[in-house]
Amino acid sequence: MKRLSSIETLIKFVSSGSSAIRSEVLDPMRDFVSFSQLPSGAFVDRAGNPDAYYSLFAFLSCRALGLEEPVRRLESYVLSLDRQKVGSYVDWSSWAVMRSLLPMSGAQKNALALKAIWRWLSRGGNANRVYGLFMSLIVMNRLWGCGGVVLRTFVRCLPNPLKAARLPATHLASLALIYREAGIDTAEVTRALLAHAAPRGGFSLFAGSGDPDMLSTAVSLYALSLTGADLRLVAPSAAAFIAEQFDRGAFLSGDGDTTRDLEYTFYGLLGLCSIVRSATR
């Protein structure tokens, strides 16, 4: 059986996990996501403008929630960007992940994967390269099926990230997923990630801060669940924290911001699916 790519694993993970979530949560989510799509097929950012980054989160939510027609309309928008310049690294990476899931010729696959490598290498040597590596590897893994040997080679391009002071939970989660895919032992990185569990539930960006947020919570739970970590001690309070952020079909950021958007809505869904999946292992 062909091994799923990283992005296909994520899609399958949320699709299967969402089946165990109550309809009174999922039905309002379907409405919120559907109503956030423009006639062009793009999904909106917080200001109501078409946005590739927010469209990626909407795409993942649609796949998890069984919204087939919005996905078909989004595909037209993604293909239209083939002929346009997608600006920032984050926007381009978001578009590239979605484009990699659509039919492509061999030449198109190679061009997109090579551009993902170049975009990452051109970003310099700061800590954000962890996230850049993660996004680029998602694209390459989908297009080229990069195995453990290739991934381990790319990991060696980084200084040991675990030696960095106060590494954020988002970077640790990215590392855990990269290590898992590369066949590298994840014990050290998962221990570091569990240290970000906040006393009142959820996960905080920095260990010991005590202030949880939805992004840190969702990606931490997903990485920990996928790497097989024991979530029994943190799952009940994390579930309560996520539930507190639910607002009329959307999930909030968890840091006091009351703006509803597609990004944090997907994070809320991902966090709940991670808790469900870890409980059923």
Side-chain angles (χ1 to χ4, degrees):
M1 182 182 295
K2 182 181 177 182
R3 184 176 181 180
L4 295 177
S5 66
S6 299
I7 188 64
E8 290 169 317
T9 298
L10 173 60
I11 291 169
K12 183 178 179 180
F13 185 94
V14 293
S15 296
S16 60
S18 62
S19 64
I21 298 175
R22 296 175 306 180
S23 59
E24 50 262 46
V25 174
L26 296 183
D27 288 343
M29 285 186 67
R30 292 187 179 98
D31 291 340
F32 175 74
V33 173
S34 297
F35 294 151
S36 298
Q37 188 172 34
L38 298 173
S40 66
F43 285 84
V44 298
D45 61 13
R46 288 184 158 206
N49 300 314
D51 189 276
Y53 178 72
Y54 285 89
S55 291
L56 172 59
F57 291 104
F59 166 77
L60 295 172
S61 295
C62 286
R63 292 293 298 269
L65 298 170
L67 298 174
E68 297 180 2
E69 181 56 31
V71 170
R72 284 193 287 269
R73 291 167 57 194
L74 176 60
E75 289 176 356
S76 299
Y77 167 71
V78 171
L79 291 173
S80 74
L81 293 182
D82 269 348
R83 298 177 294 277
Q84 302 177 31
K85 184 176 181 181
V86 183
S88 73
Y89 179 80
V90 169
D91 284 340
W92 184 87
S93 297
S94 301
W95 168 79
V97 170
M98 292 186 288
R99 183 66 182 91
S100 73
L101 291 162
L102 301 180
M104 303 178 75
S105 68
Q108 288 175 317
K109 288 181 179 180
N110 289 337
L112 186 60
L114 289 170
K115 192 166 186 178
I117 297 172
W118 177 82
R119 284 252 182 172
W120 172 66
L121 291 174
S122 66
R123 283 177 60 79
N126 55 44
N128 288 330
R129 295 186 80 198
V130 173
Y131 178 74
L133 174 63
F134 179 65
M135 292 297 289
S136 297
L137 287 177
I138 286 177
V139 176
M140 290 186 290
N141 182 243
R142 166 61 185 162
L143 298 176
W144 285 347
C146 297
V149 173
V150 175
L151 293 178
R152 283 193 291 274
T153 300
F154 275 96
V155 169
R156 293 192 188 103
C157 295
L158 293 169
N160 185 354
L162 293 174
K163 293 183 179 179
R166 289 176 61 81
L167 202 63
T170 48
H171 286 193
L172 287 169
S174 297
L175 279 176
L177 295 173
I178 291 170
Y179 285 7
R180 173 185 177 272
E181 195 69 29
I184 299 172
D185 184 70
T186 60
E188 184 180 4
V189 68
T190 54
R191 281 196 301 271
L193 194 50
L194 282 167
H196 288 247
R200 68 182 184 91
F203 284 71
S204 56
L205 185 61
F206 293 104
S209 73
D211 297 317
D213 65 86
M214 185 64 80
L215 168 57
S216 300
T217 298
V219 297
S220 297
L221 289 172
Y222 177 61
L224 291 166
S225 178
L226 214 59
T227 54
D230 188 348
L231 296 181
R232 286 176 295 180
L233 292 180
V234 299
S237 58
F241 170 76
I242 294 171
E244 289 171 1
Q245 312 312 318
F246 191 65
D247 181 15
R248 295 167 293 154
F251 285 96
L252 305 180
S253 62
D255 59 3
D257 187 346
T258 58
T259 305
R260 301 186 304 151
D261 71 26
L262 292 162
E263 178 185 8
Y264 286 104
T265 295
F266 175 73
Y267 290 148
L269 179 62
L270 178 62
L272 290 178
C273 289
S274 298
I275 293 171
V276 167
R277 291 293 299 274
S278 66
T280 57
R281 268 204 305 269

